[in-house]
Structures are given as structure tokens and as C-alpha cells.
């Protein structure tokens, strides 16, 4: 019974769980295949160069019950997190940079959950290769030892490089830089380094070679582009010496002395021989072949020759010893050998100083001629100098040294016993410079070492240098700046360039030449360096004011240097100011200026600055001109046509001026033009009607048609206004303002009427071309007095009839309106000349139209009265 009670709750819970499970189904991922971009990430592959932040996949699944699902990514412990996921949308984003060479497979646990059930799957993401690795050489540095007798075409080393990429990006080919400059070649696939065919190595000429090897991969895609990577390394090839050169004696010929007080067994002198193979030299074995007659012996390993008898036992004064030097190999075998003669003299007292000898006996001056900059270590073989001390033993031991400019030469040997051949060796090649010293002078000093007397002697060493072409011509400046007037004739000198070459003779002779895009108009004298213009060249600052090109200085050996030449063409006042027309007509409205303009084609100031002046005017003192702008205006006291009529009897008010345009160049040029000015007063505000009439002055029929239409409209308006006023007056019995105004019309002065209702859009400057000539005599003075005023003629059209309600008052000031000022802007387009008869025809049409206006106004006035 106890067992049953225990089992019952457990069974109950299991049944509940089964019911719950049956009530909720787990979500699941869609499996869309290997190449799909959504699903469960199975079989996903990514290139290692995929940028961080890229959306790489979309987790996609569903829940059987239709519940919303969420997504998640988890990783095993210790694994790097490469991706993040949007839990709701399933968008998977790369958050860590991929590297196939470190990790080519990523394990990720993807999960989908509906809130109650979670389904997880482990997927593997393959990381695909991209060409992001460069080749790397292994086992560096490369140092190779090669015997100098290695046959040509022999393999001497194998170079190996690896590339962690796969495919073509991981394949490597090898090649050498400067393949034509070295003695080696490399197999492009295996990396085996070989000696070129037909080439041999020589330790005595070059002991070390440096070869630069390049390893290049096969290329591949990286972030969408095809990339090829390479790496370089240097192979040091040390040439090993091989025994192929016999030994040689140093300091030959050898001279030794035996003095009367020399002790038997004393060292007379030491001969020195060296193996010609300096890399691994063999030991030298010395022996005397003949000539000693039992009086001398030599150290087999040291080369020291000693006397084995006392001086009084020596039967000869001079001994000629034949000494042999042989190479002893490491195995003890004697192979190559050479010979030297040793001369030993027997002397008795220390009564001789060191003495220098030449080929013909004692000599204290030695001269040599040689080229400058000899190789360092070279022996001055042209100097045959022997130094000798006739004493014996220690009395014949002396030192040698050069006294003079230090560090250029050194003397060998520095210590001499009895006699030696003096060798002078070059130490500093750069200091032996013909341009600094034509002659080098030294003192060769020999001074005894261990004697109380310290006997010494000197010899002059005079070295005369010969020049070589070791200098490049050099210009006095890196660039030259010159200026030339544009009116300079062909063949004019521009500038002289100078280059120097300190070399002598032909090597110091310089030839000049020029080249460059700007040099077409110029020549240069090949020896003097003077640059001048071509005989046919014509310079024009207005066309081109700047030229630059290169000048070359070259010696006979082809060495050269360059400098740059900048030439500025100076403007000359060679253009006169020009008006666009020699005779110009302008309409001047009182109060507004007219403007003339001339253009000077010169390139620079002050040649192209124009000043204006009035040369002639009739009558004078009427016009002023602005010197700088060319604006012409009336004198300040002229404010109306009345003043102008008092000045002249020419009632047409058309005056001619002779105006001058003068530039500021030196010498100065000027041009004159005739300007006809028609002076008038403006009677209309500038509006569309005035603009239209000005624009149509060349088409009088069009103007008459428009004016007729306007006049008809005005008649209709006048009739309507008159009718309205008549009925109003009939009803109100009041005095009309029109009648009061009409009565005051007895005042004779006439003026312009401002008509606000005639405003139209103002035209362009074409309005200034329309000029009206009025016949003053045709004007009628109702009061028959002498105060008649000529009504100002408008610049655009005759005055339309004023409405009766706006009749002028005699005491009211004249209306002032903005004026249309003319501008004589020169244009390069040639205009056809104006026809003479056209202006008179226009004036006649306008006068006739004006008379019709006056008659109609008079008729309307009588009707209202």
C-alpha cells in the first residue's frame, strides 16, 4: 500500500507532461539547401575577406502552431564569437574578422524558440580562402659559401618560400631582381639558385655577391579585386678562395748589409712572401737555393736571413742569394713556389747616411705623372726609388716616412735595414684631384733609428696630375629669369646662361642646347650660352607673355646638367584705343549722362588704361567728360532746354563733339571720334510704352499703329469721363475742377505731364536710339507773349494728349523722370552703317503724329468748355 502511494504522484505528473507536450509542438528551421541565404545556416560558406558588419545569412523557421519564433546563436566554451543574430528577424551579421589560415571551420549552435520549446542545431560554417597572405621565406637569412672554381650552370642553393593561401594564391614563383647585372639565375618553380651558363666566379675580383630574390604568388581575389603579393629576400653568396694563385714576394728587390761589427748569427734582413690566394692562404716555406756559399741561412717559416759567419770571415763584398718561397698545403705538401733575389753587402763603419737611388744612381728628386683619382691601394709604379744605408747592422736601420699632405699616400716599408725598394701606395683617391692640386709635392724622409748620429736624408717626390672627366657641367643657377619687350626684333638677345666644368681640355668644353615646349621661338649659342629669339620670331604679349623651357650644358663626354629658363614678354604700348564707331549718335536726356567707351588691346597697365577728353565742341563749355569712365554730361548750370536755347540758335539741339581716347602708355596713342548728341527733356516716365516706342523707332509703321490704338483708347476714355462729368454737373450745379484748370491754361509755359496710367514695362537700352526732332516754330502761344517754352521732347515717343482733369498749372515745377543714358560700349562685331534717309523719315512721321495729338486735344478742350 505504501508503494502505491509513492507511484501515484509520479504517474500523474507524467500524464500531465504528456498532455502538455501534445498540446504544444516544437518550432523548426527551414532547410533550404546548401546555397540558400536563409534557413538553418547548414552548409554555409564564407570568404575570409568578408567585411565585418556584413549581413551573411538569415535564420528562418516556423512554429506549427503559428506562434512567433525567436532565434539565437551560441558557441562552445572557449570558442570565438564570429556572428550575432537579430533575435526576431533572424538576420545574422559578421562581427569578427575571419582568417582561414587560423580557423577554416566555425561551429555554431543555432536555435529557434517559440517561447515554450527551443530547438538547437549545431552547424559548421566553412571559411573559404582569399588571397590575403604574402609569401614568406623560410630558414632565412640565406648565406651561401661557393668555391670560386664551381663550374658554371651549377646549382648552389635552394630557396624556399611558403604562402598560407590555397589555390593560385598559394602557388609561388621565383625570380631575381637585376637579372642582367648579376652572375646567377633561379628556377622560377623550384627556387634553385644556379651560376649562369658561361659565368665563372673569381675570389680575387669579387669575394661577395648579393642577390635579391622575389617570391610572388599566383594572385587571387581579395575584397572583390584581384591581388598579387610578393616578398623579397637577399641571398649573400660568399666566394671561397681556391688554391689557384702562386705566392708572391713583397718589397722586392731585397737588399741587406753586414757590418764589420756584426755578430755571427745576426739577422740581416727578412723577406716576405704571401700566398696569392688570400681567402685561405697556405703557409710559406722559405729556402736559399744558391749564392750563400755557406755564409747565410734563412728561417724556413719566418723568411729572416741571418749571417752565420763573422764579417771578417766573409770573402766577398756582395752576395747574391736566390731565395725560394713555396706554399705548404694543410696536408704538408709543397705545391706552388716563386723566387726572389737578395743582395747582401758587407760594410764596416757607420759613416753613411741613408741615400736614395734612382735607376741611374743617387737621386734626391723623383717625378711622376699620373691621372687623378687612381684606385685606392694602387702602387705608384712609375716611381723607381731605392733607399740604401751602406753601414752595417744597427747603423743601417732607418725609418721611412712621407712629409706633406697627410692621408693621401703611405710609404712601404716603414722600417728598412740596409736597403729596400720604396713603394708608395694610394690611400685616399678622392684627395688626388686635378681640380684642387695640379701638382702634389712630398718629402720622403729616411732617418736612422738606433744610431747616436741620427743620419738622415730626404728626396722630393713630385707628382704631376693629369685630368680626367670627373666633373659634370654645373650652371651658375638652377633657373634663369629674363624679360624682353614684345617689340624686340628677331635675333634679339634674351639672357645668357653660364655653366662651368672644372675639367680641362675638351672635357671642360661645354655645349649648350635648349629644349621644351616653350623653346620654339628661341635659339641658344652652343658655346657662349646666349639665348636669343629666332630671326623670324614675333613676340606678342597679348598672345603669350610667358615662356619657359630647359637649357642643357653638356661636355664632350656626354655628361650634362639642366637649368630652367623663365622668359616674360613685356608689354609695349603698340595698340591705340579703339571706338566701335568713328561717328556715333546719342540722345542725352537732361540730367543723365551718356557714356562712350574705347578699348585698348594692350596686355598690361598702364598701356591699356584709357583717358577720355573732349577735343572740340561748338559751342564750348557745355559738356563735361569723366576722364576715367567716359561719361559725358551737361555743365551743372544747364538744367533745362531753355538754358540751352539761350546758348545757341540751333533749335534742334543736336551737337557734335570730337572726343579723344588716349592711353597712358609711353609713347601714348590716342584715337578720336565724332559724337552727335541730341539733347532733350524726358516727358514720360520710363515704362513699357516708352520702351516699346524706342524699340520700334526703326519700324515707324508699327509705332504708328500702336500709337493709333492708344489714341483710340484715350478717345473712348475721354468720352466716358466727359459724359460722366456732364451728368454729375447737371445734377449738382457745382463748378467743375476741369473748368477751373482749363481757365488757367492761359499761362503760356508748357511742360511735360506725368501720366501714371501710362506705365508699362521699361524696355532695354534700345530706347535710346529713338530721337524726335520738333519744329519749334509750329508751337502756338495763346497769350501772344514772349515766354513761350519749347516743350521738351521725350526720348522715346511724342507726348500723348493729357486728360482734362490733369491740366498743368502755370506755377507748378516741371516733372523730373529717370533718364535713359546711352553707352557707347565698343563691340568687336562690325555693324553695318546707318542709312542717312532713315532718321529724317522717322522725324517726319513723329512730327505728323504729334500734330494730330495737338489737334485732337484742342478739340476735346473746346468741347468741355
Amino acid at each position: 500500500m505504501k508503494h502505491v502511494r509513492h507511484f501515484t504522484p509520479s504517474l500523474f505528473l507524467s500524464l500531465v507532461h504528456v498532455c502538455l507536450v501534445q498540446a504544444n509542438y516544437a518550432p523548426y528551421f527551414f532547410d533550404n539547401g546548401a546555397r540558400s541565404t536563409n534557413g538553418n545556416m547548414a552548409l554555409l560558406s564564407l570568404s575570409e575577406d568578408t567585411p565585418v558588419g556584413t549581413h551573411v545569412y538569415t535564420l528562418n523557421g516556423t512554429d506549427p502552431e503559428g506562434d512567433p519564433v525567436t532565434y539565437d546563436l551560441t558557441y562552445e566554451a572557449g570558442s570565438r564569437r564570429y556572428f550575432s543574430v537579430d533575435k526576431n528577424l533572424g538576420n545574422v551579421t559578421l562581427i569578427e574578422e575571419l582568417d582561414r589560415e587560423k580557423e577554416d571551420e566555425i561551429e555554431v549552435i543555432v536555435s529557434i524558440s517559440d517561447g515554450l520549446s527551443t530547438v538547437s542545431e549545431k552547424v559548421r560554417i566553412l571559411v573559404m580562402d582569399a588571397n590575403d597572405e604574402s609569401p614568406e621565406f623560410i630558414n632565412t637569412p640565406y648565406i651561401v659559401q661557393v668555391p670560386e672554381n664551381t663550374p658554371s650552370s651549377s646549382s648552389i642553393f635552394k630557396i624556399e618560400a611558403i604562402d598560407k593561401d590555397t589555390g593560385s594564391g598559394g602557388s609561388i614563383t621565383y625570380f631575381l631582381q637585376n637579372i642582367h647585372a648579376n652572375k646567377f639565375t633561379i628556377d622560377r618553380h623550384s627556387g634553385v639558385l644556379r651560376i649562369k651558363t658561361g659565368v665563372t666566379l673569381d675570389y680575387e675580383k669579387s669575394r661577395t655577391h648579393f642577390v635579391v630574390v622575389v617570391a610572388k604568388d599566383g594572385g587571387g581575389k581579395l575584397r572583390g579585386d584581384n591581388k598579387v603579393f610578393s616578398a623579397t629576400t637577399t641571398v649573400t653568396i660568399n666566394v671561397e678562395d681556391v688554391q689557384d694563385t702562386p705566392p708572391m714576394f713583397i718589397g722586392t728587390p731585397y737588399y741587406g748589409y753586414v757590418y764589420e761589427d756584426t755578430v755571427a748569427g745576426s739577422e740581416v734582413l727578412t723577406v716576405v712572401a704571401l700566398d696569392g690566394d688570400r681567402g685561405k692562404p697556405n703557409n710559406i716555406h722559405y729556402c736559399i737555393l744558391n749564392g750563400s756559399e755557406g755564409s747565410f741561412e734563412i728561417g724556413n717559416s719566418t723568411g729572416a736571413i741571418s749571417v752565420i759567419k763573422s764579417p771578417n770571415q766573409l770573402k766577398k763584398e756582395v752576395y747574391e742569394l736566390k731565395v725560394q718561397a713555396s706554399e705548404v698545403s694543410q696536408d704538408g705538401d709543397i705545391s706552388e713556389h716563386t723566387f726572389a733575389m737578395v743582395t747582401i753587402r758587407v760594410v764596416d763603419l757607420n759613416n753613411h747616411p741613408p741615400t736614395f737611388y734612382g735607376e741611374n744612381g743617387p737621386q734626391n728628386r723623383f717625378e711622376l705623372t699620373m691621372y687623378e683619382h687612381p684606385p685606392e691601394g694602387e702602387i705608384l709604379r712609375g716611381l723607381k726609388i731605392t733607399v740604401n744605408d751602406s753601414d752595417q747592422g744597427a747603423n743601417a736601420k732607418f725609418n721611412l716616412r712621407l712629409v706633406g699632405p697627410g692621408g693621401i699616400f703611405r710609404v712601404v716599408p716603414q722600417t728598412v735595414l740596409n736597403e729596400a725598394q720604396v713603394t708608395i701606395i694610394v690611400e685616399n683617391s678622392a684627395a688626388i684631384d686635378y681640380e684642387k692640386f695640379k701638382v702634389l709635392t712630398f718629402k720622403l724622409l729616411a732617418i736612422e733609428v738606433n744610431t747616436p748620429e741620427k743620419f738622415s736624408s730626404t728626396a722630393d717626390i713630385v707628382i704631376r696630375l693629369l685630368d680626367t672627366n670627373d666633373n659634370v657641367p654645373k650652371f651658375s643657377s638652377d633657373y634663369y629669369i629674363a624679360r624682353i619687350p614684345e617689340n624686340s626684333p628677331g635675333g634679339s638677345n634674351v639672357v645668357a646662361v653660364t655653366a662651368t666644368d672644372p675639367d680641362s681640355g675638351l672635357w671642360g668644353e661645354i655645349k649648350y642646347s635648349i629644349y621644351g615646349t616653350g623653346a620654339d621661338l628661341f635659339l641658344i649659342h652652343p658655346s657662349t650660352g646666349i639665348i636669343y629669339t629666332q630671326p623670324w620670331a614675333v613676340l606678342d604679349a597679348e598672345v603669350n607673355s610667358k615662356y619657359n623651357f630647359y637649357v642643357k650644358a653638356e661636355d664632350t663626354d656626354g655628361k650634362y646638367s639642366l637649368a630652367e629658363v623663365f622668359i616674360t614678354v613685356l608689354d609695349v604700348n603698340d595698340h591705340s584705343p579703339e571706338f566701335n564707331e568713328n561717328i556715333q549718335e546719342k540722345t542725352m536726356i537732361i540730367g543723365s549722362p551718356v557714356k562712350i567707351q574705347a578699348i585698348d588691346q594692350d596686355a598690361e597697365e598702364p598701356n591699356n588704361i584709357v583717358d577720355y577728353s573732349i577735343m572740340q565742341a561748338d559751342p564750348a563749355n557745355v559738356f563735361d567728360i569723366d576722364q576715367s569712365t567716359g561719361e559725358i554730361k551737361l555743365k551743372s548750370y544747364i538744367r533745362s532746354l531753355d538754358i540751352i536755347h539761350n546758348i545757341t540758335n540751333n533749335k534742334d539741339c543736336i551737337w557734335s563733339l570730337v572726343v579723344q581716347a588716349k592711353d597712358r602708355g609711353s609713347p601714348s596713342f590716342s584715337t578720336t571720334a565724332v559724337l552727335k548728341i541730341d539733347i532733350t527733356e524726358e516727358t514720360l516716365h520710363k515704362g513699357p510704352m516708352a520702351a516699346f516706342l524706342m524699340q520700334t523707332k526703326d519700324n515707324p509703321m508699327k509705332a504708328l499703329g500702336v500709337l493709333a490704338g492708344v489714341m483710340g483708347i484715350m478717345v473712348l476714355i475721354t468720352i466716358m469721363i466727359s459724359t460722366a462729368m456732364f451728368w454729375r454737373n447737371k445734377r449738382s450745379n457745382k463748378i467743375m475742377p476741369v473748368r477751373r484748370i482749363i481757365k488757367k491754361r492761359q499761362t503760356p509755359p508748357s511742360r511735360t505731364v506725368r501720366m501714371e496710367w501710362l506705365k508699362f514695362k521699361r524696355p532695354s537700352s534700345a530706347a535710346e536710339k529713338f530721337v524726335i526732332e520738333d519744329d519749334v516754330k509750329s508751337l502756338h502761344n495763346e497769350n501772344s507773349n514772349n515766354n513761350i517754352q519749347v516743350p521738351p521732347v521725350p526720348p522715346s515717343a511724342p507726348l500723348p494728349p493729357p486728360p482734362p482733369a490733369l491740366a498743368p498749372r502755370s506755377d507748378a515745377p516741371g516733372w523730373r523722370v529717370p533718364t535713359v543714358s546711352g553707352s557707347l560700349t565698343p563691340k568687336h562685331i562690325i555693324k553695318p552703317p546707318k542709312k542717312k534717309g532713315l532718321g529724317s523719315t522717322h522725324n517726319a512721321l513723329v512730327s505728323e503724329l504729334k500734330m494730330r495729338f495737338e489737334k485732337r486735344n484742342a478739340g476735346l478742350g473746346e468741347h468741355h468748355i
Side-chain angles (χ1 to χ4, degrees):
M1 193 66 182
K2 183 178 180 182
H3 177 72
V4 173
R5 284 196 304 267
H6 177 73
F7 178 76
T8 301
S10 176
L11 179 60
F12 176 74
L13 292 174
S14 299
L15 293 175
V16 172
H17 178 70
V18 169
C19 293
L20 292 174
V21 171
Q22 292 178 349
N24 179 67
Y25 293 95
Y28 59 90
F29 284 104
F30 294 130
D31 186 359
N32 295 325
R35 296 185 179 180
S36 67
T37 59
N38 64 83
N40 59 352
M41 290 183 73
L43 302 177
L44 175 65
S45 61
L46 293 175
S47 178
E48 63 177 327
D49 61 350
T50 302
V52 174
T54 302
H55 173 209
V56 298
Y57 199 81
T58 301
L59 292 177
N60 191 9
T62 185
D63 183 70
E65 290 82 16
D67 293 334
V69 295
T70 59
Y71 305 94
D72 196 9
L73 294 177
T74 57
Y75 301 84
E76 293 183 355
S79 298
R80 180 177 295 181
R81 296 179 57 86
Y82 284 95
F83 306 98
S84 66
V85 63
D86 186 304
K87 293 185 178 298
N88 295 318
L89 301 178
N91 293 333
V92 178
T93 304
L94 182 66
I95 61 174
E96 184 73 22
E97 186 174 353
L98 301 176
D99 190 348
R100 188 201 63 82
E101 287 71 30
K102 294 181 179 179
E103 191 172 359
D104 60 355
E105 193 175 273
I106 302 172
E107 289 188 352
V108 181
I109 300 173
V110 298
S111 60
I112 182 171
S113 174
D114 61 359
L116 295 177
S117 299
T118 300
V119 176
S120 299
E121 297 180 11
K122 179 183 287 187
V123 294
R124 291 184 179 180
I125 300 169
L126 300 179
V127 180
M128 308 304 292
D129 187 43
N131 189 25
D132 61 342
E133 297 290 336
S134 299
E136 294 182 2
F137 290 94
I138 62 175
N139 300 323
T140 56
Y142 296 134
I143 301 175
V144 185
Q145 306 293 334
V146 181
E148 64 176 332
N149 60 351
T150 303
S152 63
S153 302
S154 298
S155 300
I156 59 174
F157 192 69
K158 181 179 171 73
I159 297 166
E160 187 174 359
I162 60 173
D163 193 318
K164 297 178 182 179
D165 291 318
T166 60
S168 63
S171 64
I172 296 177
T173 56
Y174 304 90
F175 61 92
L176 302 182
Q177 286 185 354
N178 301 324
I179 185 66
H180 301 291
N182 56 56
K183 298 183 176 183
F184 306 92
T185 184
I186 192 171
D187 187 279
R188 65 190 305 267
H189 297 294
S190 64
V192 174
L193 191 65
R194 292 185 175 88
I195 302 174
K196 279 184 179 179
T197 303
V199 173
T200 58
L201 304 179
D202 191 344
Y203 176 84
E204 284 70 34
K205 292 183 179 179
S206 181
R207 301 182 181 183
T208 305
H209 299 273
F210 299 98
V211 179
V212 179
V213 181
V214 179
K216 182 176 69 173
D217 65 19
K221 291 292 184 178
L222 178 63
R223 297 182 180 89
D225 297 327
N226 191 51
K227 295 291 184 180
V228 178
F229 292 98
S230 62
T232 60
T233 188
T234 300
V235 180
T236 302
I237 301 174
N238 294 322
V239 181
E240 294 181 343
D241 193 18
V242 176
Q243 292 298 325
D244 58 356
T245 306
M248 67 178 68
F249 282 99
I250 303 299
T252 59
Y254 294 111
Y255 296 92
Y257 299 91
V258 177
Y259 299 95
E260 60 182 353
D261 58 351
T262 300
V263 179
S266 298
E267 180 181 327
V268 178
L269 79 161
T270 301
V271 296
V272 179
L274 299 176
D275 187 352
D277 301 302
R278 302 298 178 85
K280 295 179 180 179
N282 287 330
N283 295 326
I284 304 297
H285 180 271
Y286 302 94
C287 66
I288 299 175
L289 294 181
N290 55 51
S292 69
E293 300 180 0
S295 300
F296 301 93
E297 65 179 6
I298 188 171
N300 294 332
S301 60
T302 63
I305 299 175
S306 303
V307 59
I308 57 178
K309 293 181 181 180
S310 62
N312 56 5
Q313 294 177 332
L314 300 177
K315 298 177 181 181
K316 296 173 67 174
E317 184 178 351
V318 178
Y319 290 86
E320 296 287 341
L321 308 180
K322 185 176 182 180
V323 179
Q324 175 180 294
S326 304
E327 293 184 20
V328 180
S329 66
Q330 301 296 331
D331 299 331
D333 299 329
I334 296 177
S335 56
E336 301 285 342
H337 57 269
T338 188
F339 304 97
M341 297 303 296
V342 179
T343 302
I344 298 178
R345 296 177 180 274
V346 179
V347 294
D348 53 354
L349 297 174
N350 181 28
N351 55 0
H352 298 89
T355 304
F356 294 100
Y357 294 88
E359 293 180 337
N360 300 319
Q363 188 174 333
N364 60 4
R365 181 181 176 87
F366 299 87
E367 296 186 4
L368 173 66
T369 301
M370 60 180 291
Y371 285 102
E372 61 178 334
H373 304 304
E376 293 183 0
E378 181 175 297
I379 297 174
L380 304 186
R381 301 185 185 279
L383 292 175
K384 306 294 185 180
I385 306 174
T386 302
V387 63
N388 172 269
D389 192 329
S390 301
D391 294 325
Q392 296 180 358
N395 294 330
K397 188 177 183 180
F398 56 92
N399 290 336
L400 290 176
R401 62 189 178 95
L402 281 175
V403 179
I408 299 178
F409 299 100
R410 64 183 175 92
V411 63
V412 176
Q414 294 183 350
T415 301
V416 180
L417 184 62
N418 297 120
E419 186 174 309
Q421 180 77 25
V422 179
T423 302
I424 297 178
I425 302 174
V426 176
E427 272 199 331
N428 186 356
S429 175
I432 307 174
D433 192 348
Y434 176 85
E435 284 72 38
K436 295 180 180 178
F437 308 102
K438 303 289 188 300
V439 178
L440 292 172
T441 303
F442 298 87
K443 289 284 187 182
L444 180 58
L445 174 64
I447 183 171
E448 293 179 347
V449 179
N450 297 323
T451 62
E453 296 83 7
K454 298 290 183 182
F455 290 136
S456 65
S457 63
T458 60
D460 293 327
I461 308 294
V462 179
I463 301 175
R464 303 184 187 280
L465 298 179
L466 298 177
D467 193 20
T468 60
N469 190 19
D470 60 334
N471 290 283
V472 177
K474 185 176 181 180
F475 282 99
S476 58
S477 176
D478 292 333
Y479 57 89
Y480 295 88
I481 299 175
R483 297 174 177 84
I484 182 171
E486 65 176 340
N487 62 349
S488 300
S492 299
N493 290 350
V494 180
V495 65
V497 299
T498 304
T500 57
D501 190 331
D503 293 320
S504 61
L506 294 176
W507 290 324
E509 293 183 4
I510 298 174
K511 180 181 179 181
Y512 299 95
S513 60
I514 60 176
Y515 64 94
T517 56
D520 297 339
L521 299 182
F522 303 92
L523 296 173
I524 188 169
H525 194 281
S527 58
T528 64
I530 297 176
I531 298 174
Y532 55 94
T533 58
Q534 295 271 13
W536 47 263
V538 177
L539 302 178
D540 191 343
E542 290 76 37
V543 177
N544 189 2
S545 63
K546 301 291 182 181
Y547 297 89
N548 76 291
F549 49 85
Y550 290 95
V551 60
K552 178 181 181 180
E554 183 177 12
D555 63 17
T556 55
D557 208 20
K559 296 184 177 181
Y560 68 91
S561 62
L562 301 175
E564 194 166 3
V565 178
F566 298 89
I567 297 176
T568 300
V569 179
L570 300 177
D571 184 43
V572 175
N573 191 23
D574 55 353
H575 290 83
S576 300
E578 294 182 2
F579 293 99
N580 62 334
E581 294 179 357
N582 292 331
I583 300 177
Q584 305 178 37
E585 297 181 0
K586 237 17 229 185
T587 298
M588 176 182 285
I589 300 173
I590 295 178
S592 297
V594 296
K595 185 177 181 180
I596 62 173
Q597 187 173 6
I599 291 181
D600 194 311
Q601 298 296 331
D602 285 311
E604 300 177 359
E605 297 180 357
N607 297 335
N608 58 6
I609 297 179
V610 180
D611 292 330
Y612 302 92
S613 61
I614 297 175
M615 302 298 296
Q616 183 178 352
D618 185 20
N621 299 324
V622 174
F623 299 97
D624 285 329
I625 189 169
D626 190 293
Q627 178 180 352
S628 300
T629 64
E631 286 189 349
I632 300 175
K633 57 185 178 180
L634 295 171
K635 294 285 187 178
S636 58
Y637 66 87
I638 300 176
R639 298 185 177 87
S640 66
L641 287 176
D642 291 340
I643 300 175
I644 295 176
H645 293 160
N646 292 333
I647 295 175
T648 178
N649 293 325
N650 185 3
K651 300 305 179 180
D652 291 338
C653 299
I654 298 178
W655 290 346
S656 294
L657 304 179
V658 178
V659 293
Q660 181 189 64
K662 183 177 182 182
D663 62 29
R664 296 185 184 179
S666 179
S668 178
F669 292 99
S670 62
T671 303
T672 60
V674 176
L675 177 64
K676 296 182 178 181
I677 300 179
D678 183 5
I679 302 177
T680 183
E681 284 185 341
E682 190 172 29
T683 58
L684 291 175
H685 284 284
K686 297 173 185 178
M689 177 61 75
F692 174 78
L693 293 176
M694 296 296 280
Q695 287 178 339
T696 57
K697 75 166 196 170
D698 294 332
N699 190 350
M701 297 306 296
K702 182 178 180 181
L704 288 175
V706 173
L707 291 176
V710 172
M711 186 169 57
I713 295 173
M714 292 176 60
V715 170
L716 293 176
I717 295 174
T718 303
I719 294 173
M720 292 173 64
I721 294 174
S722 300
T723 304
M725 294 179 63
F726 172 78
W727 288 107
R728 181 180 178 185
N729 293 337
K730 186 176 181 180
R731 293 177 180 178
S732 58
N733 292 327
K734 292 183 179 180
I735 299 174
M736 296 302 295
V738 175
R739 295 179 180 178
R740 292 197 299 269
I741 294 174
I742 292 175
K743 290 180 180 180
K744 292 183 180 181
R745 289 181 61 192
Q746 297 177 359
T747 304
S750 174
R751 64 172 182 84
T752 60
V753 180
R754 183 174 181 180
M755 303 177 70
E756 295 293 336
W757 53 279
L758 279 177
K759 287 186 179 179
F760 295 92
K761 184 177 181 181
R762 180 184 176 181
S764 61
S765 60
E768 64 191 17
K769 298 181 181 179
F770 195 78
V771 181
I772 299 174
E773 295 181 0
D774 193 10
D775 188 359
V776 178
K777 295 180 180 180
S778 63
L779 298 178
H780 177 70
N781 185 359
E782 294 181 358
N783 295 334
S784 299
N785 56 19
N786 295 326
N787 294 328
I788 183 171
Q789 295 184 1
V790 179
V793 180
S796 57
L799 181 66
L806 297 177
R809 294 179 59 186
S810 60
D811 56 347
W815 294 101
R816 307 277 308 172
V817 297
T819 60
V820 179
S821 61
S823 176
L824 298 179
T825 303
K827 298 180 181 178
H828 298 290
I829 300 175
I830 301 177
K831 297 181 178 180
K834 296 181 178 179
K835 296 182 179 179
K836 294 182 179 181
L838 187 61
S840 60
T841 304
H842 291 177
N843 294 335
L845 291 174
V846 173
S847 299
E848 182 180 356
L849 186 60
K850 184 175 180 180
M851 291 176 62
R852 293 180 180 179
F853 284 158
E854 289 177 352
K855 291 179 180 180
R856 187 172 295 278
N857 290 339
L860 292 174
E862 293 175 0
H863 174 73
H864 288 294
I865 292 173

